Amino acid sequence: MKEADSKQIESILKDYHWMMNSIKILRDSMKDAGEGVTAHYGEESVMPKAQGTTSDPVYKENVRRVKRYKKIAQYEDKVRIIQDRMIAIDDDREFEVLHWLLEGKSYRWIALHMGLSHTQIIRMKGSIVKKMGTYVPDVTKEANLSKVMTS
């Protein structure tokens, strides 16, 4: 995995909280896939069905759900960029700032909580972004570790 762009990391940090919430909500909403889109019984089951892909409601629902699954995967990829690089933050104060940023808190809220100035929080966030941008996760090591844990 290559270095991440600082602007990309900064953007993901800003959006991390809502992306995590969206992933949870979308996963829950996709659990009941297919309910209510099957054929009806009785007279409706013998009526002529729409032909092709443009008016078939089951097909359209499938296409919609595939798009949602792709969106979930995009959010997960972005979130993983931050999660894989959190190890690069070794300073306790920076880690605390990172935690509250990921929870969606404002700079001012974090500053009040930590007893620091608003500008100190902004500088720490800049340092966090810089460290995460230059850190390159060892993907093969993580893959080997996950293989060992599942065996």
Side-chain angles (χ1 to χ4, degrees):
M1 189 175 268
K2 62 181 182 175
E3 286 186 14
D5 182 19
S6 293
K7 288 183 181 182
Q8 179 188 24
I9 288 178
E10 201 163 345
S11 173
I12 297 170
L13 279 175
K14 181 180 155 198
D15 296 339
Y16 184 93
H17 184 69
W18 71 258
M19 281 192 285
M20 283 301 298
N21 286 338
S22 291
I23 290 168
K24 290 175 198 170
I25 291 168
L26 289 170
R27 281 182 179 171
D28 285 344
S29 71
M30 300 303 274
K31 284 181 183 174
D32 60 347
E35 281 188 21
V37 294
T38 57
H40 297 278
Y41 297 100
E43 289 182 16
E44 288 183 33
S45 66
V46 295
M47 298 297 287
K49 307 287 186 292
Q51 298 297 315
T53 58
T54 56
S55 63
D56 182 6
V58 176
Y59 175 78
K60 285 182 179 181
E61 179 64 12
N62 187 44
V63 169
R64 184 187 72 81
R65 288 181 181 271
V66 167
K67 286 180 183 178
R68 294 310 283 170
Y69 281 120
K70 286 180 182 177
K71 187 54 72 177
I72 292 170
Q74 287 174 352
Y75 291 162
E76 288 172 342
D77 288 343
K78 287 181 179 182
V79 164
R80 201 170 294 114
I81 288 172
I82 298 300
Q83 292 172 343
D84 289 346
R85 288 168 171 75
M86 287 177 70
I87 196 168
I89 310 305
D90 51 3
D91 181 69
D92 290 339
R93 294 170 109 197
E94 287 179 355
F95 195 80
E96 187 71 11
V97 169
L98 175 61
H99 169 75
W100 291 117
L101 287 172
L102 297 180
E103 290 294 320
K105 301 298 183 184
S106 69
Y107 299 142
R108 293 200 189 279
W109 187 96
I110 298 169
L112 280 171
H113 171 71
M114 293 181 69
L116 301 171
S117 74
H118 172 259
T119 54
Q120 282 178 301
I121 301 301
I122 292 173
R123 279 195 297 265
M124 282 187 200
K125 186 207 65 159
S127 175
I128 290 167
V129 169
K130 184 177 178 182
K131 286 179 182 179
M132 286 184 155
T134 57
Y135 180 78
V136 179
D138 186 2
V139 178
T140 57
K141 184 178 177 183
E142 291 174 13
N144 290 336
L145 181 62
S146 66
K147 284 180 186 176
V148 170
M149 296 181 98
T150 57
S151 297

